[in-house]
Amino acid sequence: MGALTDRRQGSQFHPARFFLDAWRSFDADAATARADRSARGLGYDIRPLIALTCGATLLVAMHYYGKAGTFVKIADTIGAQRFDQRFSALYPQMYWALAHVAGYFAVPALLLRLTGQRVRDQGFGWAGLRQHFWIYLVLYAIVLAAVIAISFTSAFSSFYPFYHGANRSWFDFGVWELLYSAQFFALEFFFRGWWLTACRDALGSGAIFAMIVPYTMLHLSKPAPEAFAAILAGMVLGTLAMKTRTIRGGDILHVSIAVSRDVAALLQTTGLPHQFWPLS
């Protein structure tokens, strides 16, 4: 009897059952939510319309006006001499990160407030993370092994870090990683918080797969293995976010991978910084 119980408990962690059971649960919850909404006479659920149309608009705006090159054009217009030239290579990356924090987090948070919703209900809790944190640790170990393996390729080491001055000093490295991490938090909020929360009642598990498409498209400028991996990553992180009702695990995982990736690329090329403050 004990062995049978152990087998049943162990089978719960089989990938196919883990995800299929979760998706069925999301669909059942969505059906119940829609029936309840209809019974209460609440009418059309406008949350997916707002999240997806406004989100698409923000993605277009960030693509055209949120790139590092946009800052270069702005600096040329107002005069590059206004900025401390020691950090001339950092400013465009700072602009990119902050523009994406605004697009992924600040504007959606404002829209939530304007529509009577609470920002903290978009996956900010920690309770659901405790039981499933081991999954994020396993995912990190798998991705870290892949990062180490591909860090020996020139395509990888020439692509990361985005800020090519990260090796100049620990100040440069630290500022860049903080900006990079803030961008990843905002990205998780946008895709796995705001979008999934808005669409889970209307689409059930389909909300995950609707989210995967634009999320994968963000990776099309990156090396091909990373772009293909984004499809699986979007499905896994989306499922976990809906199951745990928190974006914290995805944020921690994304930031850990990003920093590890930058460190691996630096170790294969210029090495880590040797001083705290840039001398020039």
Side-chain angles (χ1 to χ4, degrees):
M1 195 63 184
L4 179 60
T5 301
D6 290 341
R7 285 197 298 272
R8 286 175 177 174
Q9 290 177 341
S11 67
Q12 293 177 3
F13 300 108
H14 188 282
R17 180 171 179 182
F18 181 87
F19 288 106
L20 286 175
D21 284 354
W23 297 337
R24 292 189 185 105
S25 175
F26 302 155
D27 291 342
D29 290 344
T32 300
R34 290 194 298 270
D36 179 67
R37 185 178 186 87
S38 178
R40 295 164 60 189
L42 296 179
Y44 182 75
D45 186 356
I46 200 172
R47 291 174 299 170
L49 184 153
I50 294 174
L52 294 176
T53 56
C54 292
T57 303
L58 288 168
L59 288 172
V60 172
M62 285 185 283
H63 176 77
Y64 286 103
Y65 307 112
K67 293 182 177 180
T70 303
F71 176 84
V72 176
K73 295 177 181 179
I74 295 173
D76 289 342
T77 301
I78 66 177
Q81 68 276 7
R82 295 173 178 268
F83 303 95
D84 188 336
Q85 294 306 300
R86 289 177 298 175
F87 302 103
S88 58
L90 179 60
Y91 294 138
Q93 301 302 330
M94 183 180 297
Y95 174 87
W96 168 82
L98 295 179
H100 283 71
V101 169
Y104 286 143
F105 177 73
V107 176
L110 177 61
L111 288 171
L112 286 165
R113 294 295 299 273
L114 291 175
T115 54
Q117 300 175 72
R118 299 190 303 182
V119 176
R120 64 184 180 185
D121 291 337
Q122 314 301 308
F124 274 72
W126 291 93
L129 179 61
R130 297 188 186 98
Q131 182 183 357
H132 300 90
F133 190 68
W134 67 272
I135 300 177
Y136 293 101
L137 291 176
V138 172
L139 291 173
Y140 174 70
I142 294 172
V143 176
L144 179 62
V147 165
I148 294 173
I150 65 175
S151 68
F152 293 93
T153 65
S154 59
F156 177 91
S157 58
S158 62
F159 194 82
Y160 295 107
F162 289 167
Y163 171 43
H164 296 307
N167 69 308
R168 186 174 61 158
S169 70
W170 285 110
F171 176 82
D172 287 274
F173 181 84
V175 169
W176 165 243
E177 297 303 337
L178 285 174
L179 290 167
Y180 204 23
S181 297
Q183 182 269 159
F184 276 120
F185 163 77
L187 180 145
E188 285 297 321
F189 172 84
F190 185 92
F191 286 104
R192 258 77 73 174
W194 183 39
W195 271 17
L196 291 187
T197 301
C199 297
R200 68 183 301 149
D201 288 352
L203 302 178
S205 62
I208 300 168
F209 304 101
M211 172 272 295
I212 287 175
V213 178
Y215 177 70
T216 301
M217 292 177 70
L218 292 181
H219 296 74
L220 295 182
S221 62
K222 297 186 177 184
E226 188 172 348
F228 280 113
I231 302 171
L232 179 61
M235 182 178 69
V236 173
L237 293 177
T239 301
L240 286 170
M242 285 187 68
K243 187 178 182 68
T244 62
R245 292 183 179 268
T246 179
I247 62 171
R248 298 295 187 177
D251 177 35
I252 293 171
L253 178 64
H254 242 139
V255 170
S256 300
I257 292 172
V259 175
S260 300
R261 193 169 51 199
D262 284 356
V263 169
L266 289 176
L267 289 175
Q268 294 296 342
T269 53
T270 59
L272 295 174
H274 297 291
Q275 58 199 26
F276 174 76
W277 187 257
L279 300 178
S280 59

